[in-house]
Amino acid sequence: MSSLQSTIPDSSRMKIAVVGGGLGGLTLASVLQHAYKIKCTVFELDDTVNSRNQGGSLDLHFESGQYALKKAGLIDQFRKHARYQGEDHILTDMTGKILMQQVGRKGSTGGRFDRPEIDRTVLRQILIDSLDEDTIQWGKKVIQIEEDSKSKDNGKHRHTITFQDGQTGTFDLVVGADGAWSKIRKFVSDVTPFYGGVSFIEGLHPNADINYPKVSKLVGNGSFWALQYNKGLLCQRSGDGSIRVSAAIRIEEDGFSQLDFSNPEIPRKYLMDLFSDWDDSLKVLIEESPTFIARGIYMLPAGYKWKSHPGVTLIGDAAHLMTPFAGEGANMAMLDGAKLASAISQIVHKGKDLATTIDKFERTMCNTVTGPATESAKNMDLMISENGHQEVLKMFRILRWLSPVIKLFS
């Protein structure tokens, strides 16, 4: 078994492992490097940056995701790719009747409604490009993490990570940024995500303007939601010209297990039967999708907090997995990364105690994210309900007092 110690960038005060190269882990690494001149190593499971699809578009919030990019010195890069027209939003019922329409702003305004869209792939690449070349180690699957007994005896609480390729590394701080089914979370807690009662069947329409003009016209520049009777068709345009369609269904866990997704006609027929009484203008979203995949919606309990363990911490979905119905997951992960970088700087540059500083960070993170996690779960229950279209319309009626770009038609 070989050691990674010689390949880890040297830090005069602290050796830091970030497990997971998603938005939270990369933000942490970027803010550490650019704001505080502290190095870390990011260990990513994927073999390359393009190993798998990173998902669609996300709205980056002024007070969280954009704040984190400012700390990393990347806000100008973000604005080059930000799509304010992606904030356009249409709500309909099952008949296709438009109930609400929101028109995106043309540029940054600051404040709670400054939430332009950016493709996840583009945002991730901006963060990767900001890092020193040796920061990310690709193809690193964590097999085990254990506390070094000698360091525990002298109060240092260092931890050794073993990887699938047989290499090991010992670190002063291990950060679990490894997502919903985090290996690092298992080291500090036995709590696991639970099923939220809703699942998606997702379709993707590439180059929609050319290949799927009906879908393109229906969805518009941003998001399109058709809701009613415990179902929904949730659509979003990405900057690469594709449109992602998620058929959201209230169903038991693994309710799609009988469907063979390798044959698109099987899930297509299932959905067409399920949405048979919906307007034909909406069913085109299902009819024209070339592929389908299934995704269950899982979450951790809102307010979840583990007992702090010196030398190991969590951020992002590993710490507070939530549903996607408030647009907060990625934003909170990036905010976590920026805030943890600040806490680490206090340890490295000001000699603060590692255990108490990380414990304080974790308590603050938990308090910050409890509200968004609660809102996210509540929104899912409102949207995917018998009268989801009316429940969401009520929400927009309240927001209209704050945002004049929202037009109501019912």
Side-chain angles (χ1 to χ4, degrees), residues 31-58:
V31 177
L32 278 175
Q33 180 176 305
H34 292 284
Y36 304 112
K37 310 303 179 187
I38 298 171
K39 290 191 174 185
C40 67
T41 302
V42 177
F43 297 101
E44 168 53 38
L45 175 65
D46 291 346
D47 290 327
T48 69
V49 67
N50 297 315
S51 290
R52 59 188 172 91
N53 189 298
Q54 295 298 314
S57 184
L58 60 89

PDB file of all heavy atoms in Angstrom, residues 31-58:
ATOM      1  N   VAL A  31     -11.869  29.174  -2.707  1.00  0.00           N
ATOM      2  CA  VAL A  31     -11.810  30.267  -1.722  1.00  0.00           C
ATOM      3  C   VAL A  31     -10.578  30.119  -0.835  1.00  0.00           C
ATOM      4  O   VAL A  31      -9.894  31.110  -0.524  1.00  0.00           O
ATOM      5  CB  VAL A  31     -13.097  30.319  -0.883  1.00  0.00           C
ATOM      6  CG1 VAL A  31     -12.991  31.407   0.195  1.00  0.00           C
ATOM      7  CG2 VAL A  31     -14.317  30.592  -1.766  1.00  0.00           C
ATOM      8  N   LEU A  32     -10.266  28.896  -0.420  1.00  0.00           N
ATOM      9  CA  LEU A  32      -9.040  28.679   0.363  1.00  0.00           C
ATOM     10  C   LEU A  32      -7.819  29.210  -0.396  1.00  0.00           C
ATOM     11  O   LEU A  32      -6.981  29.926   0.166  1.00  0.00           O
ATOM     12  CB  LEU A  32      -8.844  27.190   0.647  1.00  0.00           C
ATOM     13  CG  LEU A  32      -9.603  26.569   1.811  1.00  0.00           C
ATOM     14  CD1 LEU A  32      -9.378  25.063   1.852  1.00  0.00           C
ATOM     15  CD2 LEU A  32      -9.185  27.199   3.144  1.00  0.00           C
ATOM     16  N   GLN A  33      -7.731  28.862  -1.673  1.00  0.00           N
ATOM     17  CA  GLN A  33      -6.553  29.207  -2.471  1.00  0.00           C
ATOM     18  C   GLN A  33      -6.467  30.699  -2.753  1.00  0.00           C
ATOM     19  O   GLN A  33      -5.403  31.323  -2.587  1.00  0.00           O
ATOM     20  CB  GLN A  33      -6.595  28.417  -3.779  1.00  0.00           C
ATOM     21  CG  GLN A  33      -5.417  28.684  -4.702  1.00  0.00           C
ATOM     22  CD  GLN A  33      -5.476  27.797  -5.935  1.00  0.00           C
ATOM     23  OE1 GLN A  33      -5.556  26.572  -5.834  1.00  0.00           O
ATOM     24  NE2 GLN A  33      -5.451  28.403  -7.111  1.00  0.00           N
ATOM     25  N   HIS A  34      -7.587  31.308  -3.162  1.00  0.00           N
ATOM     26  CA  HIS A  34      -7.523  32.686  -3.647  1.00  0.00           C
ATOM     27  C   HIS A  34      -7.719  33.723  -2.543  1.00  0.00           C
ATOM     28  O   HIS A  34      -7.105  34.789  -2.592  1.00  0.00           O
ATOM     29  CB  HIS A  34      -8.559  32.895  -4.750  1.00  0.00           C
ATOM     30  CG  HIS A  34      -8.237  32.129  -5.988  1.00  0.00           C
ATOM     31  ND1 HIS A  34      -7.269  32.512  -6.873  1.00  0.00           N
ATOM     32  CD2 HIS A  34      -8.743  30.964  -6.472  1.00  0.00           C
ATOM     33  CE1 HIS A  34      -7.181  31.634  -7.857  1.00  0.00           C
ATOM     34  NE2 HIS A  34      -8.066  30.682  -7.636  1.00  0.00           N
ATOM     35  N   ALA A  35      -8.561  33.437  -1.569  1.00  0.00           N
ATOM     36  CA  ALA A  35      -8.807  34.424  -0.507  1.00  0.00           C
ATOM     37  C   ALA A  35      -7.824  34.296   0.644  1.00  0.00           C
ATOM     38  O   ALA A  35      -7.508  35.300   1.293  1.00  0.00           O
ATOM     39  CB  ALA A  35     -10.242  34.278   0.011  1.00  0.00           C
ATOM     40  N   TYR A  36      -7.339  33.062   0.887  1.00  0.00           N
ATOM     41  CA  TYR A  36      -6.550  32.839   2.107  1.00  0.00           C
ATOM     42  C   TYR A  36      -5.187  32.205   1.856  1.00  0.00           C
ATOM     43  O   TYR A  36      -4.438  31.968   2.808  1.00  0.00           O
ATOM     44  CB  TYR A  36      -7.351  31.971   3.085  1.00  0.00           C
ATOM     45  CG  TYR A  36      -8.696  32.570   3.420  1.00  0.00           C
ATOM     46  CD1 TYR A  36      -9.876  31.962   2.993  1.00  0.00           C
ATOM     47  CD2 TYR A  36      -8.789  33.763   4.133  1.00  0.00           C
ATOM     48  CE1 TYR A  36     -11.120  32.515   3.289  1.00  0.00           C
ATOM     49  CE2 TYR A  36     -10.025  34.320   4.431  1.00  0.00           C
ATOM     50  CZ  TYR A  36     -11.182  33.689   4.004  1.00  0.00           C
ATOM     51  OH  TYR A  36     -12.405  34.246   4.295  1.00  0.00           O
ATOM     52  N   LYS A  37      -4.833  31.926   0.614  1.00  0.00           N
ATOM     53  CA  LYS A  37      -3.525  31.364   0.245  1.00  0.00           C
ATOM     54  C   LYS A  37      -3.249  30.058   0.993  1.00  0.00           C
ATOM     55  O   LYS A  37      -2.133  29.802   1.461  1.00  0.00           O
ATOM     56  CB  LYS A  37      -2.396  32.380   0.520  1.00  0.00           C
ATOM     57  CG  LYS A  37      -2.636  33.771  -0.046  1.00  0.00           C
ATOM     58  CD  LYS A  37      -2.876  33.733  -1.536  1.00  0.00           C
ATOM     59  CE  LYS A  37      -3.146  35.137  -2.103  1.00  0.00           C
ATOM     60  NZ  LYS A  37      -3.536  35.111  -3.524  1.00  0.00           N
ATOM     61  N   ILE A  38      -4.261  29.225   1.092  1.00  0.00           N
ATOM     62  CA  ILE A  38      -4.155  27.927   1.757  1.00  0.00           C
ATOM     63  C   ILE A  38      -4.425  26.845   0.725  1.00  0.00           C
ATOM     64  O   ILE A  38      -5.393  26.921  -0.030  1.00  0.00           O
ATOM     65  CB  ILE A  38      -5.162  27.809   2.915  1.00  0.00           C
ATOM     66  CG1 ILE A  38      -4.884  28.867   3.986  1.00  0.00           C
ATOM     67  CG2 ILE A  38      -5.113  26.412   3.532  1.00  0.00           C
ATOM     68  CD1 ILE A  38      -5.967  28.951   5.043  1.00  0.00           C
ATOM     69  N   LYS A  39      -3.576  25.829   0.704  1.00  0.00           N
ATOM     70  CA  LYS A  39      -3.751  24.739  -0.246  1.00  0.00           C
ATOM     71  C   LYS A  39      -4.497  23.567   0.389  1.00  0.00           C
ATOM     72  O   LYS A  39      -4.447  23.348   1.597  1.00  0.00           O
ATOM     73  CB  LYS A  39      -2.392  24.268  -0.768  1.00  0.00           C
ATOM     74  CG  LYS A  39      -1.707  25.280  -1.687  1.00  0.00           C
ATOM     75  CD  LYS A  39      -0.517  24.660  -2.384  1.00  0.00           C
ATOM     76  CE  LYS A  39       0.080  25.631  -3.401  1.00  0.00           C
ATOM     77  NZ  LYS A  39       1.182  25.007  -4.183  1.00  0.00           N
ATOM     78  N   CYS A  40      -5.168  22.822  -0.467  1.00  0.00           N
ATOM     79  CA  CYS A  40      -5.805  21.579  -0.055  1.00  0.00           C
ATOM     80  C   CYS A  40      -5.742  20.638  -1.252  1.00  0.00           C
ATOM     81  O   CYS A  40      -5.312  21.027  -2.332  1.00  0.00           O
ATOM     82  CB  CYS A  40      -7.257  21.824   0.373  1.00  0.00           C
ATOM     83  SG  CYS A  40      -8.345  22.330  -0.985  1.00  0.00           S
ATOM     84  N   THR A  41      -6.169  19.397  -1.043  1.00  0.00           N
ATOM     85  CA  THR A  41      -6.276  18.454  -2.148  1.00  0.00           C
ATOM     86  C   THR A  41      -7.716  17.988  -2.247  1.00  0.00           C
ATOM     87  O   THR A  41      -8.330  17.603  -1.255  1.00  0.00           O
ATOM     88  CB  THR A  41      -5.361  17.237  -1.945  1.00  0.00           C
ATOM     89  OG1 THR A  41      -4.022  17.673  -1.807  1.00  0.00           O
ATOM     90  CG2 THR A  41      -5.454  16.290  -3.136  1.00  0.00           C
ATOM     91  N   VAL A  42      -8.268  18.058  -3.464  1.00  0.00           N
ATOM     92  CA  VAL A  42      -9.626  17.585  -3.729  1.00  0.00           C
ATOM     93  C   VAL A  42      -9.532  16.194  -4.342  1.00  0.00           C
ATOM     94  O   VAL A  42      -8.863  16.004  -5.365  1.00  0.00           O
ATOM     95  CB  VAL A  42     -10.372  18.538  -4.692  1.00  0.00           C
ATOM     96  CG1 VAL A  42     -11.756  17.982  -5.015  1.00  0.00           C
ATOM     97  CG2 VAL A  42     -10.468  19.930  -4.098  1.00  0.00           C
ATOM     98  N   PHE A  43     -10.192  15.226  -3.720  1.00  0.00           N
ATOM     99  CA  PHE A  43     -10.225  13.858  -4.223  1.00  0.00           C
ATOM    100  C   PHE A  43     -11.600  13.600  -4.842  1.00  0.00           C
ATOM    101  O   PHE A  43     -12.605  13.585  -4.134  1.00  0.00           O
ATOM    102  CB  PHE A  43      -9.935  12.865  -3.100  1.00  0.00           C
ATOM    103  CG  PHE A  43      -8.569  13.020  -2.505  1.00  0.00           C
ATOM    104  CD1 PHE A  43      -8.391  13.678  -1.298  1.00  0.00           C
ATOM    105  CD2 PHE A  43      -7.452  12.528  -3.161  1.00  0.00           C
ATOM    106  CE1 PHE A  43      -7.130  13.831  -0.746  1.00  0.00           C
ATOM    107  CE2 PHE A  43      -6.178  12.682  -2.613  1.00  0.00           C
ATOM    108  CZ  PHE A  43      -6.016  13.336  -1.404  1.00  0.00           C
ATOM    109  N   GLU A  44     -11.621  13.400  -6.154  1.00  0.00           N
ATOM    110  CA  GLU A  44     -12.876  13.250  -6.888  1.00  0.00           C
ATOM    111  C   GLU A  44     -13.013  11.832  -7.426  1.00  0.00           C
ATOM    112  O   GLU A  44     -12.069  11.281  -8.006  1.00  0.00           O
ATOM    113  CB  GLU A  44     -12.935  14.259  -8.037  1.00  0.00           C
ATOM    114  CG  GLU A  44     -14.039  14.042  -9.049  1.00  0.00           C
ATOM    115  CD  GLU A  44     -15.430  13.936  -8.445  1.00  0.00           C
ATOM    116  OE1 GLU A  44     -15.733  14.678  -7.474  1.00  0.00           O
ATOM    117  OE2 GLU A  44     -16.209  13.109  -8.937  1.00  0.00           O
ATOM    118  N   LEU A  45     -14.203  11.261  -7.232  1.00  0.00           N
ATOM    119  CA  LEU A  45     -14.487   9.900  -7.680  1.00  0.00           C
ATOM    120  C   LEU A  45     -14.394   9.755  -9.191  1.00  0.00           C
ATOM    121  O   LEU A  45     -13.877   8.757  -9.699  1.00  0.00           O
ATOM    122  CB  LEU A  45     -15.881   9.500  -7.190  1.00  0.00           C
ATOM    123  CG  LEU A  45     -16.438   8.156  -7.650  1.00  0.00           C
ATOM    124  CD1 LEU A  45     -15.603   7.008  -7.106  1.00  0.00           C
ATOM    125  CD2 LEU A  45     -17.882   8.008  -7.208  1.00  0.00           C
ATOM    126  N   ASP A  46     -14.910  10.723  -9.948  1.00  0.00           N
ATOM    127  CA  ASP A  46     -14.901  10.635 -11.411  1.00  0.00           C
ATOM    128  C   ASP A  46     -13.475  10.584 -11.945  1.00  0.00           C
ATOM    129  O   ASP A  46     -12.567  11.227 -11.404  1.00  0.00           O
ATOM    130  CB  ASP A  46     -15.605  11.841 -12.024  1.00  0.00           C
ATOM    131  CG  ASP A  46     -17.107  11.827 -11.767  1.00  0.00           C
ATOM    132  OD1 ASP A  46     -17.637  10.778 -11.362  1.00  0.00           O
ATOM    133  OD2 ASP A  46     -17.741  12.882 -11.961  1.00  0.00           O
ATOM    134  N   ASP A  47     -13.305   9.858 -13.048  1.00  0.00           N
ATOM    135  CA  ASP A  47     -11.972   9.737 -13.641  1.00  0.00           C
ATOM    136  C   ASP A  47     -11.538  11.012 -14.349  1.00  0.00           C
ATOM    137  O   ASP A  47     -10.352  11.332 -14.395  1.00  0.00           O
ATOM    138  CB  ASP A  47     -11.956   8.578 -14.644  1.00  0.00           C
ATOM    139  CG  ASP A  47     -12.055   7.223 -13.960  1.00  0.00           C
ATOM    140  OD1 ASP A  47     -11.537   7.089 -12.839  1.00  0.00           O
ATOM    141  OD2 ASP A  47     -12.673   6.311 -14.533  1.00  0.00           O
ATOM    142  N   THR A  48     -12.501  11.735 -14.938  1.00  0.00           N
ATOM    143  CA  THR A  48     -12.208  12.980 -15.642  1.00  0.00           C
ATOM    144  C   THR A  48     -13.338  13.966 -15.393  1.00  0.00           C
ATOM    145  O   THR A  48     -14.401  13.605 -14.879  1.00  0.00           O
ATOM    146  CB  THR A  48     -12.075  12.767 -17.168  1.00  0.00           C
ATOM    147  OG1 THR A  48     -13.365  12.450 -17.706  1.00  0.00           O
ATOM    148  CG2 THR A  48     -11.096  11.647 -17.492  1.00  0.00           C
ATOM    149  N   VAL A  49     -13.129  15.197 -15.812  1.00  0.00           N
ATOM    150  CA  VAL A  49     -14.139  16.233 -15.616  1.00  0.00           C
ATOM    151  C   VAL A  49     -15.414  15.935 -16.400  1.00  0.00           C
ATOM    152  O   VAL A  49     -16.505  16.378 -16.020  1.00  0.00           O
ATOM    153  CB  VAL A  49     -13.568  17.613 -16.012  1.00  0.00           C
ATOM    154  CG1 VAL A  49     -13.295  17.696 -17.498  1.00  0.00           C
ATOM    155  CG2 VAL A  49     -14.479  18.743 -15.553  1.00  0.00           C
ATOM    156  N   ASN A  50     -15.296  15.169 -17.487  1.00  0.00           N
ATOM    157  CA  ASN A  50     -16.452  14.881 -18.340  1.00  0.00           C
ATOM    158  C   ASN A  50     -16.971  13.459 -18.182  1.00  0.00           C
ATOM    159  O   ASN A  50     -17.691  12.953 -19.046  1.00  0.00           O
ATOM    160  CB  ASN A  50     -16.091  15.127 -19.809  1.00  0.00           C
ATOM    161  CG  ASN A  50     -15.735  16.575 -20.085  1.00  0.00           C
ATOM    162  OD1 ASN A  50     -16.425  17.477 -19.629  1.00  0.00           O
ATOM    163  ND2 ASN A  50     -14.659  16.794 -20.818  1.00  0.00           N
ATOM    164  N   SER A  51     -16.657  12.803 -17.065  1.00  0.00           N
ATOM    165  CA  SER A  51     -17.045  11.401 -16.888  1.00  0.00           C
ATOM    166  C   SER A  51     -18.549  11.200 -16.866  1.00  0.00           C
ATOM    167  O   SER A  51     -19.045  10.153 -17.274  1.00  0.00           O
ATOM    168  CB  SER A  51     -16.440  10.842 -15.595  1.00  0.00           C
ATOM    169  OG  SER A  51     -15.050  10.693 -15.708  1.00  0.00           O
ATOM    170  N   ARG A  52     -19.306  12.169 -16.368  1.00  0.00           N
ATOM    171  CA  ARG A  52     -20.759  12.008 -16.306  1.00  0.00           C
ATOM    172  C   ARG A  52     -21.446  13.362 -16.432  1.00  0.00           C
ATOM    173  O   ARG A  52     -20.832  14.406 -16.242  1.00  0.00           O
ATOM    174  CB  ARG A  52     -21.182  11.335 -14.986  1.00  0.00           C
ATOM    175  CG  ARG A  52     -20.773  12.078 -13.738  1.00  0.00           C
ATOM    176  CD  ARG A  52     -21.046  11.263 -12.480  1.00  0.00           C
ATOM    177  NE  ARG A  52     -20.485  11.894 -11.304  1.00  0.00           N
ATOM    178  CZ  ARG A  52     -21.142  12.762 -10.541  1.00  0.00           C
ATOM    179  NH1 ARG A  52     -22.385  13.094 -10.842  1.00  0.00           N
ATOM    180  NH2 ARG A  52     -20.559  13.296  -9.492  1.00  0.00           N
ATOM    181  N   ASN A  53     -22.728  13.285 -16.747  1.00  0.00           N
ATOM    182  CA  ASN A  53     -23.538  14.492 -16.892  1.00  0.00           C
ATOM    183  C   ASN A  53     -23.671  15.189 -15.540  1.00  0.00           C
ATOM    184  O   ASN A  53     -23.974  14.547 -14.530  1.00  0.00           O
ATOM    185  CB  ASN A  53     -24.921  14.107 -17.428  1.00  0.00           C
ATOM    186  CG  ASN A  53     -25.744  15.313 -17.820  1.00  0.00           C
ATOM    187  OD1 ASN A  53     -26.063  16.155 -16.996  1.00  0.00           O
ATOM    188  ND2 ASN A  53     -26.119  15.388 -19.088  1.00  0.00           N
ATOM    189  N   GLN A  54     -23.447  16.500 -15.522  1.00  0.00           N
ATOM    190  CA  GLN A  54     -23.483  17.254 -14.268  1.00  0.00           C
ATOM    191  C   GLN A  54     -24.861  17.846 -13.966  1.00  0.00           C
ATOM    192  O   GLN A  54     -25.026  18.574 -12.998  1.00  0.00           O
ATOM    193  CB  GLN A  54     -22.447  18.384 -14.308  1.00  0.00           C
ATOM    194  CG  GLN A  54     -21.019  17.879 -14.372  1.00  0.00           C
ATOM    195  CD  GLN A  54     -20.624  17.048 -13.166  1.00  0.00           C
ATOM    196  OE1 GLN A  54     -20.889  17.422 -12.033  1.00  0.00           O
ATOM    197  NE2 GLN A  54     -19.995  15.909 -13.412  1.00  0.00           N
ATOM    198  N   GLY A  55     -25.853  17.537 -14.798  1.00  0.00           N
ATOM    199  CA  GLY A  55     -27.186  18.085 -14.562  1.00  0.00           C
ATOM    200  C   GLY A  55     -27.412  19.326 -15.404  1.00  0.00           C
ATOM    201  O   GLY A  55     -26.588  19.712 -16.239  1.00  0.00           O
ATOM    202  N   GLY A  56     -28.539  19.966 -15.172  1.00  0.00           N
ATOM    203  CA  GLY A  56     -28.947  21.094 -15.997  1.00  0.00           C
ATOM    204  C   GLY A  56     -28.486  22.432 -15.475  1.00  0.00           C
ATOM    205  O   GLY A  56     -27.323  22.640 -15.129  1.00  0.00           O
ATOM    206  N   SER A  57     -29.414  23.352 -15.387  1.00  0.00           N
ATOM    207  CA  SER A  57     -29.127  24.736 -15.020  1.00  0.00           C
ATOM    208  C   SER A  57     -29.524  24.974 -13.570  1.00  0.00           C
ATOM    209  O   SER A  57     -30.366  24.265 -13.012  1.00  0.00           O
ATOM    210  CB  SER A  57     -29.926  25.654 -15.947  1.00  0.00           C
ATOM    211  OG  SER A  57     -29.630  27.005 -15.711  1.00  0.00           O
ATOM    212  N   LEU A  58     -28.898  25.951 -12.942  1.00  0.00           N
ATOM    213  CA  LEU A  58     -29.290  26.338 -11.577  1.00  0.00           C
ATOM    214  C   LEU A  58     -29.296  27.847 -11.459  1.00  0.00           C
ATOM    215  O   LEU A  58     -28.587  28.549 -12.179  1.00  0.00           O
ATOM    216  CB  LEU A  58     -28.374  25.709 -10.527  1.00  0.00           C
ATOM    217  CG  LEU A  58     -26.873  26.026 -10.559  1.00  0.00           C
ATOM    218  CD1 LEU A  58     -26.563  27.271  -9.739  1.00  0.00           C
ATOM    219  CD2 LEU A  58     -26.061  24.865 -10.015  1.00  0.00           C
TER     220      LEU A  58
END
